[in-house]
Amino acid sequence: MPRYALIAEPDRHRAAGLLSLVRQEGLEGVVARDGAEAQDLVRLRGAPTLLVTDLALPRVDGFALLAWLRGRSDASDTAVMVVTAFDELRVRAWQLKDALGIHALLSRRAGPEAMRDGMRRALAGQLAGHGQLELDAEVEQRRLARIDELKLVEPGLPDAGLQELVAEVAQAFGVPVALLTLVLGDRQWFKAHVGLPPALAKDRGTPRDWSFCHHVVQGREAMVVPDATRHPVFRDNPLVRDGIVGSYAGAPLIASTGDVLGSLCVIDTRTLMLGPEDLAALRELAGRVAEDLEYTTLRGRTRPAAPRPPAATEPVLTEAAALALVREAVSALAVPVLVVAPGRKPFAANAALAELLGLPEDRLSGMPFDSLRQHVASLTADPGGTLRRLDLAAEGSRGVDLTLSLERPQPRGVRWVARPFLVPGGVAQLLSLMDLSGGADLEAQRERLLRQDALTGLDTRRVGEERLAKEIGRCRREGLPVSLVLVDLVELGDINHSRGFDAGDEALRELARRAEGLCPPPGFAVRWTGGSFLLALPGADAVAAEAVRQRLHDAPGPPGWVSIAVTVQGEEDPNGTLDRAHAALARAKPERKPAIQKD
């Protein structure tokens, strides 16, 4: 087994502290910022000697990651240390510790010595930690007193400004529901909300026992539940059983006193494909909302009855004024930056970005955002593939972080990073293209390897799963079918053995070219595993998918592969569709029917 420790931790600073501890134990440390990335690293490197993980991970939660790991034949000796801020998740993990193979279970509040001791005990196969709640009645009383002091719970309709804010948050994160929630003694109360069913919107709250935001308040950290329907803590929640909450992400509203008032959260009925950057963006927005809530309340209470003289009147910051201030800051930066106003309208670019993209600075500021993406894609060796990646990244207008290779005006690697920020008119974006050509960026290289297959140029399975979930969701909303074709180059081993690995690589590239040619947008092809590819066909029913599969085999030349086509059934979970596809392909391989194999 490779001697390395895998740290699944979204927070970079905490990951750095854990890295230091594992290195003291003589292990190489590797960091994954979400559960799906952790799975990819295990697939690449094999099961680790030690896994240190949180339970609230983006994309694939910690419970699902542990269950998946324990299903691998090479992970029987992997030691597992869980570190989480969420007490009730930790209690449930303690109950499942034997099934999940957990050796150490610690609160985030544990000190460095306790962390080091827990890690050593886990490596020695000894149990460390406990599964007890760590309630602090004094902290809870102080928190509730702060909510009362600020008079945040008020009768009547929700504030129009806050309603507009949560609507913008829902739009920015591409979800149907967003809430600004205060967690009270026995219930959660929605100070502002969008997308709720009428009954919940009327009541403006639920019992605290039903509240996901309660966990955010208790843990004082952002929490994401990618799939609540399968989560051992939340799957029996009434809101989940009723189909109202399928996934959740929330960030704490922390007052200046340190008290957590509630949460800014987003909710979807289906799997939530938010990454660590999205969670960081939500956390930043929540911090600003908490500041605004506190400031507005206190300012309203201390405002004098008599009107202030004009000179003392506080200016109202409009959208244009806010963006104008950002424009001044952007123009002074040496790194390439573009400000995108609400509604995805490019607003201000600087000279560094214009130079990087080979465009006049004034043209950049007025260019439609779609045209900007097309121009950036045209500077790469694969304009079509790059544009698809940029389109996918821009779907939710959320935090984005991906790596591109530009061929023009000169060869260089760049990192495309977008971050949302609030302005009076809604949610704007700060977009930067960081030049990576000046030095080695190992993290960017790893991200590129994890997201794009170097041999075929296709997206990897990790990206394919993200895109597939989004396409299935879109087609369901539009009443369209979705089908998949899974194909496996079964003769790859024979080709490598008899003709060499170069011939095997060329066979894979040829299959990738054929597969990609049969998937016009919004369809796409993915390098699924070593010798298999997935063709996603949004809008195609079973008949159309079978026709695509037949065309794949009708092309000239001896293919040496088998394939199957499946169609998503009703509200079937994407993982269920993939399981059916893999099972059908496994049955097709030994059969090798003449209609599938051509000699």
Side-chain angles (χ1 to χ4, degrees):
M1 178 181 294
R3 293 286 298 175
Y4 79 99
L6 176 57
I7 300 170
E9 169 56 62
D11 186 279
R12 296 181 188 273
H13 300 292
R14 293 195 179 109
L18 292 168
L19 269 176
S20 175
L21 290 178
V22 301
R23 287 168 180 164
Q24 292 175 26
E25 302 306 313
L27 295 173
E28 175 194 2
V30 180
V31 175
R33 298 193 63 202
D34 61 53
E37 185 177 348
Q39 290 177 328
D40 286 338
L41 286 168
V42 173
R43 291 188 185 104
L44 287 171
R45 303 191 53 161
T49 303
L50 171 68
L51 171 64
V52 183
T53 183
D54 197 347
L55 295 172
L57 296 173
R59 300 207 301 152
V60 174
D61 68 71
F63 288 100
L65 173 63
L66 290 174
W68 174 84
L69 181 70
R70 289 312 179 197
R72 290 178 58 95
S73 60
D74 61 347
S76 58
D77 294 329
T78 297
V80 171
M81 172 176 167
V82 170
V83 182
T84 187
F86 306 105
D87 284 355
E88 291 174 44
L89 271 63
R90 193 178 69 256
V91 170
R92 183 62 175 141
W94 181 265
Q95 296 167 349
L96 298 172
K97 63 182 182 301
D98 295 331
L100 297 177
I102 297 173
H103 302 89
L105 222 167
L106 302 178
S107 167
R108 183 78 75 190
R109 293 179 285 276
E113 289 301 321
M115 292 283 187
R116 182 179 293 106
D117 179 68
M119 188 174 295
R120 290 175 176 173
R121 285 175 175 268
L123 288 169
Q126 302 171 0
L127 189 62
H130 60 82
Q132 300 175 1
L133 294 176
E134 298 180 353
L135 302 177
D136 190 325
E138 183 178 344
V139 169
E140 177 69 3
Q141 290 175 1
R142 187 171 64 244
R143 188 187 70 79
L144 294 174
R146 185 59 174 169
I147 293 175
D148 290 340
E149 179 186 1
L150 294 174
K151 295 185 174 6
L152 295 176
V153 180
E154 51 201 11
L157 296 175
D159 177 79
L162 292 178
Q163 285 291 101
E164 184 178 352
L165 181 144
V166 293
E168 291 282 357
V169 170
Q171 181 181 8
F173 285 84
V175 297
V177 179
L179 307 172
L180 183 59
T181 300
L182 302 178
V183 177
L184 309 180
D186 58 354
R187 66 192 298 257
Q188 63 174 346
W189 184 75
F190 307 138
K191 189 168 180 67
H193 56 84
V194 64
L196 284 175
L200 286 181
K202 179 181 178 181
D203 293 342
R204 292 186 68 180
T206 72
R208 184 166 175 171
D209 290 345
W210 298 9
S211 172
F212 285 65
C213 296
H214 153 76
H215 298 272
V216 174
V217 169
Q218 174 269 317
R220 303 179 58 84
E221 289 190 7
M223 182 183 76
V224 60
V225 183
D227 187 351
T229 64
R230 299 186 176 191
H231 198 284
V233 174
F234 299 108
R235 62 192 174 201
D236 294 326
N237 186 295
L239 299 175
V240 178
R241 290 201 308 265
D242 292 344
I244 298 170
V245 178
S247 52
Y248 168 94
L253 302 170
I254 303 179
S256 61
T257 56
D259 301 305
V260 184
L261 310 174
S263 170
L264 176 65
C265 68
V266 294
I267 293 170
D268 205 340
T269 55
R270 298 186 175 90
T271 302
L272 199 61
M273 297 302 294
L274 299 186
E277 301 299 342
D278 302 317
L279 202 59
L282 184 63
R283 186 165 52 242
E284 182 178 352
L285 288 172
R288 295 176 184 176
V289 170
E291 290 179 5
D292 290 344
L293 279 177
E294 194 170 26
Y295 176 72
T296 301
T297 303
L298 293 176
R299 184 181 62 178
R301 290 171 56 200
T302 58
R303 184 183 292 119
R308 291 178 290 181
T313 300
E314 182 177 350
V316 176
L317 193 62
T318 64
E319 175 186 331
L323 291 174
L325 292 174
V326 177
R327 186 204 296 269
E328 293 182 14
V330 164
S331 63
L333 294 175
V335 296
V337 171
L338 173 70
V339 176
V340 182
R344 296 171 67 205
K345 303 172 184 176
F347 178 78
N350 61 8
L353 181 63
E355 179 182 357
L356 179 69
L357 300 182
L359 286 173
E361 189 174 344
D362 56 351
R363 183 183 169 192
L364 262 177
S365 298
M367 179 182 290
F369 198 63
D370 289 342
S371 299
L372 173 64
R373 294 205 313 276
Q374 291 172 3
H375 176 76
V376 172
S378 73
L379 303 179
T380 68
D382 179 19
T386 302
L387 186 58
R388 286 195 297 272
R389 293 180 68 199
L390 294 176
D391 286 343
L392 178 67
E395 281 182 2
S397 297
R398 304 190 305 266
V400 173
D401 193 332
L402 51 84
T403 304
L404 306 173
S405 295
L406 303 186
E407 297 294 326
R408 295 172 294 278
Q410 60 182 357
R412 68 180 80 194
V414 298
R415 176 173 286 171
W416 174 290
V417 180
R419 294 289 181 269
F421 64 97
L422 288 175
V423 296
V427 179
Q429 294 276 328
L430 185 66
L431 169 66
S432 65
L433 271 70
M434 295 181 285
D435 189 349
L436 304 179
S437 58
D441 191 318
L442 297 180
E443 186 176 351
Q445 292 176 15
R446 185 186 69 178
E447 178 69 13
R448 184 167 59 254
L449 289 173
L450 290 173
R451 300 189 69 84
Q452 186 176 47
D453 177 53
L455 177 64
T456 65
L458 298 180
D459 288 338
T460 63
R461 178 170 179 167
R462 169 181 172 179
V463 179
E465 289 175 342
E466 295 176 6
R467 297 182 66 181
L468 182 60
K470 289 184 178 180
E471 284 300 323
I472 290 176
R474 180 183 65 80
C475 288
R476 280 175 176 161
R477 290 191 296 271
E478 298 177 6
L480 299 174
V482 183
S483 295
L484 311 176
V485 173
L486 199 59
V487 54
D488 189 277
L489 183 55
V490 291
E491 294 184 1
L492 179 60
D494 294 339
I495 295 173
N496 287 335
H497 179 72
S498 61
R499 296 163 51 194
F501 286 97
D502 289 343
D505 289 347
E506 181 54 37
L508 287 170
R509 283 191 288 265
E510 173 61 23
L511 179 52
R513 284 192 292 268
R514 294 190 187 187
E516 191 170 27
L518 292 171
C519 298
F524 56 91
V526 174
R527 174 90 180 270
W528 200 245
T529 59
S532 67
F533 296 80
L534 177 80
L535 287 67
L537 305 171
D541 59 14
V543 174
E546 178 61 22
V548 170
R549 191 190 72 80
Q550 289 293 343
R551 289 203 302 273
L552 182 68
H553 295 280
D554 290 342
W561 52 68
V562 296
S563 65
I564 55 91
V566 298
T567 301
V568 179
Q569 298 177 351
E571 290 292 315
E572 181 180 42
D573 182 89
N575 292 322
T577 305
L578 291 170
D579 289 343
R580 286 197 297 112
H582 285 128
L585 186 65
R587 291 192 299 269
K589 285 182 182 180
E591 295 175 6
R592 302 296 304 276
K593 295 179 180 179
I596 297 177
Q597 177 190 6
K598 292 189 176 182
D599 296 324

